[in-house]
């Protein structure tokens, strides 16, 4: 029986992670990416719980450790810049993670690590500058016929959409009449880079401002400071600027919303950097939302969604987006392996549609917990100075009693063992 032909759409994190596991079982895998080259940009991300377990199973821990950001913890400061609460990172290699994980790195570094780990594997091919234009499944014909943007067509046993929150694959799979799966969290965020200074704080630093605004900084490299601005509301106006405005239009729109807060000591530098520093041309803006598809809608036949395309938690969703991508890739590959083994034993055609359904069944409880976060209301983005004082005081109390230890006792996501099925077919030589 020939090896299954799999098309993965998206060469970010979830797609290459899936290609890694599919190579273990001998699939013929093609990864297509719409950008002309690897898109190895992005902000700081992390791994937690099951993501750490799977990183180790993939054998990439040394490569990840080599690119870790030197972030000692997380602090909340008041409007004058004075620290009000501090949560140190747990870098012991054991137990629960705090707001700063032991494994903090830039998204682009992990993208490159996964690409380097897979591009030379037998059966894995990358093709850049292409996107899917048509998906066709017929009951009387096996597989999925795919037409790419270069007008070539081929039939695959399984097609996986790992192409992010806005997933074109999801739209092709579900059709134009399917309801928008985005769950609006009511806030917008902007991320950009400015030159660092020697006195910039090393911890992840957050300052709440009146009017449901939040300013955060992270110093991942000695020469750069990453600034994040979050605002509750104004989403329609910011969406319009995102759709049709130039880069300078977007910069001005965000600077305008934080102009009244230049009395926060670093704000003048942040806004001037946003408007004028060349480094800030990496500005990325995001309408905070989760992808919540109804049960049974992660797949249609032999087309299935993976990572943010299926279940984006958002950056404010507990920090589990990268972990969920690795977990989903492992589970989907394991179910594909199981169906292929069954088919070879029975001399029948593998039912990868069933593999996709079982992957969703196993993953949904994990994703439900990852997405179960409070709306970005007064607790995270308070309206008034009084509300900010309450949040800062509560944070101080929690930092004193080390509440993250309690979270570790209660959270299965912090398990140091794999809590998903062990798939024998996915084990490497050193694991057998």
């Amino acid at each position: 029986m020939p090896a299954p032909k799999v098309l993965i759409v998206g060469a970010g994190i979830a797609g290459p992670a899936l290609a890694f596991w599919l190579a273990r079982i001998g699939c013929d895998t093609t990864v297509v990416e719409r950008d002309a080259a690897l898109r190895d940009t992005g902000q700081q991300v992390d791994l937690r719980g099951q993501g750490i377990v799977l990183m180790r199973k993939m054998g990439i821990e040394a490569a990840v450790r080599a690119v870790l950001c030197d972030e000692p913890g997380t602090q909340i400061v008041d409007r004058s810049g004075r620290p009000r609460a501090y949560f140190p990172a747990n870098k012991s290699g054991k137990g629960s993670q705090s707001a700063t994980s032991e494994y903090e790195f830039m998204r682009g570094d992990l993208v490159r690590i996964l690409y380097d780990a897979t591009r030379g594997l037998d059966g894995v091919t990358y093709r850049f500058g292409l996107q899917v234009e048509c998906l066709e499944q017929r009951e009387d014909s096996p597989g999925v016929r795919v037409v790419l943007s270069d007008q070539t067509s081929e039939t695959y046993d399984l097609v996986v959409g790992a192409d992010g929150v806005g997933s074109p694959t999801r739209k092709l799979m579900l059709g134009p009449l399917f309801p928008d799966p985005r769950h609006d969290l009511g806030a917008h965020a902007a991320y950009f880079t400015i030159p660092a200074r020697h006195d910039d704080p090393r911890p992840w630093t957050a300052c709440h401002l009146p009017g449901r605004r939040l300013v955060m900084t992270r110093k991942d490299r000695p020469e750069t400071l990453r600034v994040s601005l979050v605002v509750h509301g104004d989403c329609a106006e910011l969406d319009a600027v995102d759709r049709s405005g130039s880069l300078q239009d977007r910069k001005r729109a965000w600077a305008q919303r934080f102009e009244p807060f230049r009395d926060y000591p670093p704000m003048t530098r942040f806004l001037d950097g946003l408007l004028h520093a060349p480094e800030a041309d990496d500005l990325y803006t995001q309408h905070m939302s989760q992808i919540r598809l109804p049960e049974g809608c992660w797949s249609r036949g032999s087309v299935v969604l993976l990572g943010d395309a299926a279940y984006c938690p958002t950056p404010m969703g507990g920090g589990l987006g990268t972990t969920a991508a690795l977990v989903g890739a492992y589970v989907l590959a394991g179910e594909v392996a199981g169906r292929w083994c069954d088919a070879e034993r029975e001399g029948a055609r593998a039912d990868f549609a069933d593999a996709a359904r079982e992957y969703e069944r196993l993953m949904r409880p994990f994703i439900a917990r990852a997405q179960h976060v409070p709306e970005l209301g007064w607790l995270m983005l308070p309206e008034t100075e009084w509300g900010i004082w309450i949040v800062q005081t509560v944070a101080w109390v929690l930092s004193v009693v080390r509440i993250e230890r309690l979270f570790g006792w209660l959270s299965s996501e912090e398990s140091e063992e794999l809590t998903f099925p062990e798939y024998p077919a996915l084990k490497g030589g050193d694991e057998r």
Side-chain angles (χ1 to χ4, degrees), residues 15 60 95 117 129 149 151 163 231 261 278 298 331 337 352 363 389:
I60 60 173
S149 53
Q151 299 310 302
D163 44 352
V231 58
F261 304 105
W298 287 12
V331 173
F352 294 126
M363 281 291 294
W389 181 85

Side-chain angles (χ1 to χ4, degrees), residues 294-335:
E295 188 171 347
C297 292
W298 287 12
S299 64
R300 287 286 188 271
S302 294
V303 181
V304 60
L305 304 173
L306 176 66
D308 283 353
Y311 44 73
C312 174
T314 83
M316 308 298 277
L320 288 175
T322 306
T323 288
L326 295 191
V327 173
Y330 172 80
V331 173
L332 179 57
E335 294 304 318

Side-chain angles (χ1 to χ4, degrees), residues 222-246:
E223 67 277 6
T224 57
L225 185 69
R226 315 290 179 167
V227 182
S228 304
L229 306 177
V230 183
V231 58
H232 190 278
D234 285 349
C235 288
E237 295 177 31
L238 290 170
D239 282 339
V241 174
D242 287 346
R243 284 193 302 269
S244 58
S246 66

Side-chain angles (χ1 to χ4, degrees), residues 63-266:
V64 171
R65 284 192 175 277
V67 297
L68 291 181
C69 301
D70 184 19
E71 186 174 273
T74 304
Q75 66 177 357
I76 294 176
V77 302
D78 62 22
R79 199 162 165 179
S80 65
R82 294 173 300 188
R84 294 298 304 273
Y86 180 70
F87 301 89
N90 176 6
K91 299 190 178 183
S92 67
K94 298 180 180 179
S96 62
Q97 302 294 316
S98 65
T100 292
S101 168
E102 181 181 1
Y103 295 92
E104 296 279 348
F105 42 82
M106 300 306 292
R107 174 194 174 275
D109 287 334
L110 183 59
V111 168
R112 284 190 294 272
I113 288 169
L114 292 172
Y115 177 64
D116 289 342
T118 53
R119 61 176 172 170
L121 296 178
D122 290 342
V124 178
T125 301
Y126 280 87
R127 299 184 66 192
F128 292 93
L130 292 172
Q131 54 189 335
V132 174
E133 290 195 347
C134 177
L135 297 172
E136 181 181 343
Q137 297 187 83
R138 295 170 52 184
E139 292 184 4
D140 61 346
S141 178
V144 184
R145 179 177 173 270
V146 179
V147 178
L148 296 177
S149 53
D150 63 356
Q151 299 310 302
T152 60
S153 67
E154 198 158 350
T155 299
Y156 295 89
D157 297 296
L158 181 68
V159 174
V160 182
D163 44 352
V165 175
S167 178
T169 306
R170 184 178 67 230
K171 296 173 184 176
L172 288 172
M173 184 188 84
L174 296 175
L177 301 181
F178 194 87
D180 189 344
R182 290 175 296 181
H183 176 71
D184 186 7
L185 296 178
H188 245 79
Y191 312 92
F192 59 94
T193 304
I194 63 173
R197 296 195 318 204
H198 69 88
D199 57 346
D200 285 327
R202 287 176 54 224
W204 181 8
T205 299
C207 178
H208 294 88
L209 299 171
R212 295 187 172 183
R213 279 151 173 74
L214 177 66
V215 182
M216 296 181 288
T217 62
R218 308 185 86 163
K219 191 175 183 178
D220 61 276
R221 299 287 187 272
E223 67 277 6
T224 57
L225 185 69
R226 315 290 179 167
V227 182
S228 304
L229 306 177
V230 183
V231 58
H232 190 278
D234 285 349
C235 288
E237 295 177 31
L238 290 170
D239 282 339
V241 174
D242 287 346
R243 284 193 302 269
S244 58
S246 66
L247 175 60
Q248 284 304 123
D249 289 337
R250 292 160 58 213
K251 287 183 175 183
R252 283 191 291 267
W254 279 95
Q256 181 182 23
R257 279 157 178 78
F258 284 81
E259 182 66 31
F261 304 105
R262 285 184 179 263
D263 60 331
Y264 172 47

Side-chain angles (χ1 to χ4, degrees), residues 23-40:
R24 285 267 176 100
I25 60 176
C27 288
D28 179 3
T29 303
T30 300
V31 183
V32 296
E33 168 59 48
R34 62 185 173 185
D35 287 336
L38 196 67
R39 192 168 65 85
D40 53 0

Side-chain angles (χ1 to χ4, degrees), residues 268-304:
T268 294
R269 175 185 165 215
F270 294 164
L271 297 185
D272 289 348
L274 171 61
L275 292 171
H276 305 298
E279 291 86 348
D281 287 350
D282 68 349
L283 175 68
Y284 173 74
T285 58
Q286 182 179 40
H287 188 155
M288 292 289 189
S289 58
Q290 296 175 333
I291 298 299
R292 294 188 182 181
L293 287 165
E295 188 171 347
C297 292
W298 287 12
S299 64
R300 287 286 188 271
S302 294
V303 181
V304 60

